[in-house]
């Protein structure tokens, strides 16, 4: 079983749609959670951190369920510029892991006019 | 530009040759990470430095791979006797005193093609 699993998609949605991505992780000791965005042939960039209480940044909402080891990202009112690969990321900082990031394989989103 | 930089951006080599990549982290960042990303996959952790000390290595890092960070600033990743399976994007990231504890800032990567 992969440490971080995502539905690879691709998701093709029209502008203005709401789209949700899901992710599960296997290490119950994981401490920090993130969504990164990666544009084609570019480096990953932090989109947002994910907290147990849920957090929102404009059109983006992230949720964490530690009991189910489940992370989600909701994008409302999709824009053409949201087209990218969204990476679910877990940080196992603490113990001997030294903060390395474990990435899911990414979910491809294409927003079309 | 004060971000993470990597050199070269692209490298094409023949199987069996040695290659070396360089990463310059954000200044003042004491943590430096190397990752490898193949097509259709997320990045995979290779190794981690805190200052000049290499504190963790993935099992993905075979004995053909070696990384250094001699003065705790820039880092190099060398691959000896390259194989076609080494073809990938090699990403460097740094973190430290700037930003949140866990935020890693990535460089643009070095894309390696082994013929």
């Amino acid at each position: 079983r992969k440490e971080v699993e995502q539905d690879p998609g691709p998701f093709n949605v029209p502008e203005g749609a709401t789209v949700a991505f899901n992710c599960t992780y296997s290490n119950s000791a994981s401490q920090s959670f993130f969504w990164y965005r990666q544009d084609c042939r570019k480096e990953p960039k932090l989109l947002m951190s994910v907290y147990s209480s849920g957090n929102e940044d404009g059109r983006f909402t992230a949720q964490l369920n530690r009991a189910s080891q489940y992370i989600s990202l909701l994008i409302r009112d999709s824009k053409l510029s949201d087209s990218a690969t969204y990476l679910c990321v877990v940080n196992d900082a603490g113990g001997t892991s030294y903060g390395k990031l474990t990435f899911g394989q990414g979910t491809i989103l294409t927003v079309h006019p | 530009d004060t971000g993470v930089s990597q050199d070269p951006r692209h490298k094409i080599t023949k199987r069996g040759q040695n290659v070396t990549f360089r990463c310059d982290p954000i200044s003042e960042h004491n943590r430096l990470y190397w990752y490898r990303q193949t097509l259709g996959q997320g990045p995979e952790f290779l190794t981690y430095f805190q200052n000049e000390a290499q504190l963790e290595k993935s099992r993905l890092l075979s004995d053909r791979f070696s990384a250094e960070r001699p003065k705790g600033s820039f880092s190099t990743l060398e691959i000896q006797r390259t194989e076609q399976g080494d073809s990938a994007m090699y990403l460097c990231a740094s973190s430290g005193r700037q930003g949140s504890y866990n935020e890693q800032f990535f460089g643009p990567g070095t894309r390696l093609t082994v013929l």
Side-chain angles (χ1 to χ4, degrees):
Chain A
R1 180 185 174 189
K2 290 184 178 179
E3 293 184 61
V4 180
E5 293 203 56
Q6 293 180 250
D7 179 351
F11 286 67
N12 293 293
V13 302
E15 276 187 289
T18 295
V19 61
F21 304 140
N22 304 316
C23 167
T24 58
Y25 61 96
S26 61
N27 184 355
S28 59
S30 297
Q31 298 192 6
S32 304
F33 309 89
F34 311 91
W35 285 99
Y36 273 71
R37 170 191 169 130
Q38 187 171 28
D39 293 307
C40 188
R41 295 188 168 271
K42 298 286 189 179
E43 71 273 21
K45 292 185 178 179
L46 179 65
L47 178 65
M48 58 197 303
S49 301
V50 189
Y51 305 112
S52 297
S53 55
N55 50 300
E56 187 173 310
D57 182 2
R59 298 181 292 107
F60 298 83
T61 300
Q63 295 275 355
L64 167 66
N65 184 322
R66 284 187 182 269
S68 303
Q69 295 178 205
Y70 173 90
I71 306 164
S72 66
L73 177 68
L74 184 76
I75 305 175
R76 293 182 300 278
D77 188 23
S78 299
K79 311 292 185 190
L80 295 177
S81 58
D82 294 334
S83 298
T85 297
Y86 290 83
L87 296 158
C88 179
V89 186
V90 171
N91 182 319
D92 296 327
T96 59
S97 71
Y98 297 108
K100 70 180 182 184
L101 298 179
T102 302
F103 289 79
Q105 71 178 102
T107 299
I108 299 171
L109 171 66
T110 300
V111 181
H112 57 82
Chain B
D1 187 349
T2 57
V4 179
S5 62
Q6 292 186 244
D7 184 70
R9 296 289 305 277
H10 304 274
K11 179 70 177 178
I12 299 174
T13 191
K14 293 183 179 180
R15 188 176 53 188
Q17 298 296 304
N18 298 344
V19 294
T20 300
F21 310 141
R22 176 179 171 124
C23 170
D24 286 90
I26 293 171
S27 59
E28 299 179 4
H29 278 189
N30 60 344
R31 300 184 183 92
L32 187 147
Y33 304 80
W34 285 97
Y35 294 84
R36 180 174 70 186
Q37 185 173 24
T38 54
L39 195 62
Q41 301 297 318
E44 295 175 293
F45 170 79
L46 292 178
T47 190
Y48 161 71
F49 289 86
Q50 182 160 309
N51 300 312
E52 67 277 8
Q54 187 175 21
L55 297 184
E56 187 174 2
K57 293 194 292 186
S58 164
R59 65 184 184 280
L60 294 175
L61 214 64
S62 75
D63 55 9
R64 296 185 298 105
F65 287 70
S66 62
E68 295 182 341
R69 195 182 182 196
K71 298 183 179 178
S73 55
F74 73 91
S75 175
T76 58
L77 177 68
E78 180 183 16
I79 309 174
Q80 296 182 326
R81 305 182 303 281
T82 52
E83 301 173 356
Q84 288 182 326
D86 297 332
S87 295
M89 174 76 86
Y90 289 84
L91 292 160
C92 176
S94 71
S95 69
R97 296 183 181 88
Q98 294 181 349
S100 64
Y101 170 80
N102 287 324
E103 183 171 359
Q104 294 182 23
F105 297 84
F106 284 81
T110 295
R111 184 172 297 278
L112 173 66
T113 302
V114 182
L115 301 176

